[in-house]
Amino acid sequence: MGKTSVGIALATPPRPARTPAQGAVSNKISIPPMRRLLITVGIESLSMLVMHAFSKEAKGKIDDKHEGRAALPPGFKDPQQEFARSLHIAERNAKGEPITYGMPTICFMHAMATAAQDLDKYLPARVRRCVHIQGDKVIIRDREGKPAQPIMRDDLVRINRKPATAYRGSFPEWTAAITMEIDGSVFTVEQMVTLLDRAGNCGVGEDRPSKRGGSWGRWRVRRDSVVTVEQ
């Protein structure tokens, strides 16, 4: 008679709980409280500011091209109309007439991020996360603090490799007050003021240094104008 083998399941003893080794690093993450600081910094021009806003007409031409609509033949230029369309308008009166002009805040943020790139390759991303300039546009003022009025420029440019005259708004001398909210647990006020000062070498607007190696749209910080409020 053959022998029958019977399998027996052995009970596995429970494993003892692991205890952290001596000197092991804890997995707990410490998150410091956020300090919201509101800083207002005055800047003054080192070179003239030239605007060239992206008009509705220019956007319409791009939409027509993408949607396959026939483009209208180019007509005669109206210098005054082209000059008016080049301006970034910050405020209008009840009649719809421009009161103040300003540069989009994103232009100054780009300048600060570009300046940060010269210091550390990871710094621009940190600046974009922890620094926020208030408002949609930074109002451009004159030396006396009044809303600056633009002057029309006519410059020879190239459009599709063909020479043309561009009529744009310019501000030969200008000032501005930039209000930004920063995370005070990441950056100090002095660091942000210095970074904004360095960003002045990158510039904003047409023919700025960071775009084509130009010289327009540069500024420096007025150190006596810094105001800080902790929220």
Side-chain angles (χ1 to χ4, degrees):
M1 190 172 174
K3 295 182 179 179
T4 304
S5 99
V6 180
I8 300 176
L10 300 177
T12 305
R15 294 183 179 180
R18 292 185 177 181
T19 57
Q22 188 175 4
V25 179
S26 173
N27 290 328
K28 292 182 179 179
I29 300 175
S30 176
I31 302 178
M34 183 174 176
R35 290 183 62 214
R36 296 182 186 272
L37 300 178
L38 205 61
I39 311 172
T40 299
V41 185
I43 61 175
E44 59 186 4
S45 63
L46 291 175
S47 60
M48 72 173 165
L49 171 65
V50 179
M51 293 184 178
H52 194 180
F54 199 64
S55 65
K56 293 181 180 179
E57 289 73 19
K59 183 178 180 299
K61 289 180 181 179
I62 294 176
D63 292 341
D64 289 344
K65 185 177 180 180
H66 287 173
E67 295 172 14
R69 291 194 291 265
L72 295 174
F76 292 103
K77 276 193 173 186
D78 183 341
Q80 196 63 36
Q81 188 179 62
E82 187 174 331
F83 159 67
R85 288 175 178 173
S86 73
L87 298 166
H88 294 281
I89 300 172
E91 298 171 327
R92 297 178 182 269
N93 59 18
K95 298 180 180 179
E97 300 167 338
I99 301 176
T100 58
Y101 302 92
M103 284 298 294
T105 54
I106 190 66
C107 298
F108 290 93
M109 279 300 306
H110 282 325
M112 292 180 69
T114 303
Q117 194 171 4
D118 295 334
L119 304 174
D120 184 87
K121 66 178 181 179
Y122 299 111
L123 191 55
R126 195 176 303 170
V127 168
R128 292 189 182 97
R129 290 194 304 268
C130 302
V131 181
H132 304 282
I133 299 178
Q134 302 291 296
D136 181 50
K137 290 183 176 67
V138 175
I139 295 177
I140 303 301
R141 301 185 182 276
D142 59 20
R143 295 289 183 180
E144 285 71 39
K146 299 176 183 178
Q149 297 303 312
I151 299 173
M152 185 170 67
R153 285 184 59 87
D154 55 332
D155 298 296
L156 184 64
V157 297
R158 287 193 173 272
I159 301 175
N160 295 329
R161 298 183 180 180
K162 296 180 180 179
T165 303
Y167 301 93
R168 298 172 291 189
S170 66
F171 301 83
E173 291 189 352
W174 55 279
T175 64
I178 297 178
T179 300
M180 52 186 167
E181 180 187 301
I182 72 168
D183 185 348
S185 60
V186 178
F187 294 114
T188 66
V189 173
E190 182 60 29
Q191 285 175 330
M192 284 298 95
V193 172
T194 301
L195 183 60
L196 182 61
D197 195 35
R198 295 177 67 96
N201 281 335
C202 301
V204 293
E206 283 294 286
D207 203 25
R208 59 189 179 273
S210 61
K211 184 180 181 182
R212 295 177 182 173
S215 60
W216 295 346
R218 296 174 57 238
W219 71 82
R220 65 184 174 192
V221 162
R222 294 170 51 201
R223 295 279 176 174
D224 59 344
S225 68
V226 181
V227 177
T228 306
V229 177
E230 186 163 359
Q231 295 182 311

